[in-house]
Amino acid sequence: MINPELMKLLDANDVLSILRDSVAYQIQKIHNVEKTTEGQGWYQELPKIVMEKFDNYRKDYEHLSRILDLEYVQIKNEMNKGYYYWRLLHSACNTYRNDLIEYDEQLKREFNFKNTEAISDNKILSECIGIFDQHVIED
């Protein structure tokens, strides 16, 4: 059985929204590789085993995105089957948070904007990552 602290993440709409956003962002980053000549060249130069892993992650994130769009009970049932999708969520949330912080810093440098708490210090995202750090084991 999945740790109850992880399952509680699915109970709040704002948290579920952040999880969906994080996965969508990760999928967007993966798909962006295909959109540029540089990205396509990078992909083509990958060793076959790495290329397969990259492709598998893309498929897994797309499947996770479909899971997160199911009805609440179905989401809980799917996410309670094992830790693999929780590890993907952990990775997606970390990537999303790190990039949000970087984008906020760029806005500050380039346009002299003040840091935006919802961007650079998103409390919900940070709380999710904290729970993942405690309860999701990365191999």
Side-chain angles (χ1 to χ4, degrees), residues 6-23 68 72 75 89 93 96 100 118 121-129 131-132:
L6 289 173
M7 295 307 288
K8 284 182 189 176
L9 290 175
L10 302 175
D11 291 335
N13 284 337
D14 53 350
V15 172
L16 194 53
S17 178
I18 283 285
L19 297 177
R20 286 180 179 130
D21 288 349
S22 297
V23 170
L68 294 175
Y72 176 75
I75 294 171
L89 279 172
C93 286
Y96 191 45
L100 285 176
D121 186 25
N122 188 307
K123 291 186 185 342
I124 296 169
L125 186 54
S126 294
E127 288 174 18
C128 289
I129 292 170
I131 291 171
F132 290 143

Side-chain angles (χ1 to χ4, degrees), residues 75-132:
I75 294 171
K76 286 190 85 151
N77 288 339
E78 288 297 315
M79 295 304 289
N80 203 27
K81 290 181 180 177
Y83 279 96
Y84 180 70
Y85 289 117
W86 291 106
R87 289 196 299 268
L88 288 179
L89 279 172
H90 184 219
S91 175
C93 286
N94 272 311
T95 299
Y96 191 45
R97 178 182 61 180
N98 293 341
D99 285 0
L100 285 176
I101 291 168
E102 184 179 323
Y103 295 143
D104 209 21
E105 284 301 313
Q106 284 177 351
L107 290 173
K108 185 178 175 181
R109 280 191 312 273
E110 294 178 23
F111 302 104
N112 203 27
F113 289 173
K114 292 182 179 181
N115 281 357
T116 305
E117 189 173 298
I119 297 173
S120 63
D121 186 25
N122 188 307
K123 291 186 185 342
I124 296 169
L125 186 54
S126 294
E127 288 174 18
C128 289
I129 292 170
I131 291 171
F132 290 143

Side-chain angles (χ1 to χ4, degrees), residues 40-95:
Q40 291 169 0
W42 171 84
Y43 178 79
Q44 292 302 319
E45 292 175 7
L46 291 174
K48 185 176 181 190
I49 191 168
V50 177
M51 188 183 289
E52 287 174 359
K53 187 169 185 170
F54 183 86
D55 292 342
N56 287 339
Y57 274 125
R58 179 178 37 86
K59 289 175 191 164
D60 292 342
Y61 275 113
E62 289 168 349
H63 184 68
L64 177 57
S65 179
R66 288 189 292 274
I67 289 172
L68 294 175
D69 285 336
L70 296 172
E71 295 296 320
Y72 176 75
V73 173
Q74 294 171 303
I75 294 171
K76 286 190 85 151
N77 288 339
E78 288 297 315
M79 295 304 289
N80 203 27
K81 290 181 180 177
Y83 279 96
Y84 180 70
Y85 289 117
W86 291 106
R87 289 196 299 268
L88 288 179
L89 279 172
H90 184 219
S91 175
C93 286
N94 272 311
T95 299

